Amino acid sequence: MAQVKTKKSPSRTCGRFLKEIDHLGKPSRDKYIENYKQTLRNLGEAGIPVVCYNFMPVFDWTRSDLNYELEDGSHALIFDEEEVNKMDPRTLSLPGWDESYTAEELNQLMDEYKEVDTEQLWKNLEYFIKAIMPTAEEADVKMAIHPDDPPYSIFGLPRIITGGKALNRFINLYDSKYNGVTVCVGSYASDPKNDAVAMLKEMLAKDRVNFVHARNVRLTGKGKSFEESAHLSEMGSIDMYEVVKDLHDHNFQGAIRPDHGRMIWGETGKPGYGLYDRALGATYLNGLYEAVQKAAN
């Protein structure tokens, strides 16, 4: 893991067209998929080795509070299930969501998704994957689907990249190492039913981990509620040592990042992306890797 060799940094793309066209399976999706394939060719020519994307309908990551004060005095994103259940998504605007929609467009999109259930969304994802993967292989660009965050249905919208069973169904859509996953352990562990470390280990064994987001969350014990925490194992609900050990034991050579961060030391900025805390996270992961490596020798 410490000797990651990539030509350039991974690219992250969600693409409004994915939400409006491909998620919904509209007839015009083929035109947009062709544009996406050309983007993959361009990325390959530019030396970008990995694309991280998601298939979350309408909204990306969702939280109930973007500036919650934790016990240590830092501020972080949290998800309070009770509070989210009270929200009207048609009136919300949160960082991480596509802000290019007008209120009218958002209402129309929400109405259109009433006709899309979980199985239909799977069919639309399969169509997309089978259309783009030959191009990704030719361009030498590995695709890495990001989990739904949190990994369960919200606002009545279907979500499908949610756990171990879903990951196995996904990689079987197209048998290629280019059809891989982003294992965001923090996202998966947000659902108490998921064993994020076990899921990482299984995907590593199948050579489908193309990107790793290594961050911690603390489950509060209130249903599916959680807080984004410092990266250290003791601060959250994930054994980060085991995460790094699995990466080491499988000789993972792909991209990894600490991902997300609290606001500490008086920093202000885009919620969830504190620079100082992410730097601490990167340092912590390097320290864990050295400890794992020495223990293995």
Side-chain angles (χ1 to χ4, degrees):
M1 184 187 77
Q3 295 79 33
V4 172
K5 296 181 178 67
T6 58
K7 292 170 282 186
K8 291 187 180 179
S9 299
S11 170
R12 183 165 186 173
T13 176
C14 298
R16 177 172 174 177
F17 90 89
L18 283 177
K19 290 180 170 55
E20 290 193 11
I21 307 298
D22 207 70
H23 287 33
L24 289 166
K26 291 185 177 181
S28 54
R29 63 181 170 180
D30 289 337
K31 177 182 70 173
Y32 291 92
I33 286 174
E34 287 303 314
N35 291 346
Y36 197 95
K37 288 158 69 173
Q38 185 57 50
T39 297
L40 292 178
R41 297 185 189 102
N42 295 343
L43 291 172
E45 291 177 4
I48 303 297
V50 178
V51 168
C52 177
Y53 67 107
N54 72 65
F55 217 73
M56 288 181 269
V58 188
F59 306 114
D60 292 326
W61 58 262
T62 301
R63 303 290 186 267
S64 59
D65 193 330
L66 308 181
N67 194 39
Y68 183 81
E69 185 171 346
L70 301 178
E71 292 180 1
D72 61 7
S74 65
H75 292 81
L77 309 177
I78 69 165
F79 182 94
D80 186 300
E81 185 179 19
E82 185 176 339
E83 290 300 316
V84 171
N85 288 339
K86 297 176 184 177
M87 293 179 177
D88 180 358
R90 296 171 186 263
T91 64
L92 295 175
S93 177
L94 296 174
W97 292 10
D98 191 333
E99 298 178 352
S100 62
Y101 298 117
T102 64
E104 183 178 347
E105 289 172 332
L106 178 59
N107 286 331
Q108 179 182 347
L109 194 56
M110 291 288 291
D111 289 338
E112 288 183 283
Y113 267 101
K114 291 178 181 178
E115 306 302 318
V116 179
D117 61 12
T118 297
E119 284 304 310
Q120 185 59 52
L121 192 58
W122 269 112
K123 290 178 182 178
N124 295 343
L125 175 57
E126 181 176 6
Y127 187 94
F128 174 69
I129 291 298
K130 289 182 175 178
I132 67 161
M133 279 304 158
T135 301
E137 291 173 327
E138 293 169 7
D140 195 23
V141 174
K142 291 183 176 180
M143 304 297 292
I145 195 166
H146 191 281
D148 300 335
D149 186 9
Y152 35 78
S153 175
I154 58 169
F155 305 136
L157 295 167
R159 289 191 164 195
I160 56 178
I161 307 301
T162 56
K165 184 178 179 180
L167 282 181
N168 280 291
R169 180 173 178 175
F170 171 76
I171 63 175
N172 287 327
L173 295 178
Y174 191 92
D175 186 15
S176 170
K177 66 180 181 180
Y178 288 86
N179 182 36
V181 302
T182 296
V183 177
C184 178
V185 291
S187 293
Y188 282 123
S190 299
D191 187 340
K193 296 184 298 183
N194 284 337
D195 185 337
V197 176
M199 290 162 58
L200 170 64
K201 185 176 296 186
E202 181 178 9
M203 289 297 108
L204 284 168
K206 295 181 177 181
D207 194 25
R208 293 300 187 93
V209 180
N210 291 341
F211 200 2
V212 175
H213 291 179
R215 64 179 175 88
N216 211 343
V217 295
R218 189 181 76 84
L219 301 175
T220 66
K222 295 169 51 182
K224 294 178 179 178
S225 301
F226 63 89
E227 301 170 352
E228 295 198 359
S229 66
H231 285 74
L232 280 72
S233 297
E234 66 187 76
M235 301 302 292
S237 300
I238 305 173
D239 189 334
M240 298 301 290
Y241 179 87
E242 285 299 319
V243 169
V244 174
K245 185 176 184 300
D246 288 339
L247 295 171
H248 172 273
D249 291 350
H250 285 85
N251 193 32
F252 179 70
Q253 295 294 307
I256 179 172
R257 74 178 196 183
D259 195 42
H260 289 205
R262 304 162 298 151
M263 292 299 173
I264 60 175
W265 304 335
E267 181 185 14
T268 58
K270 185 175 182 179
Y273 291 93
L275 176 61
Y276 300 148
D277 199 34
R278 281 183 291 154
L280 288 177
T283 302
Y284 175 61
L285 293 174
N286 278 329
L288 284 179
Y289 187 84
E290 180 177 342
V292 169
Q293 194 170 41
K294 288 186 174 182
N297 294 332

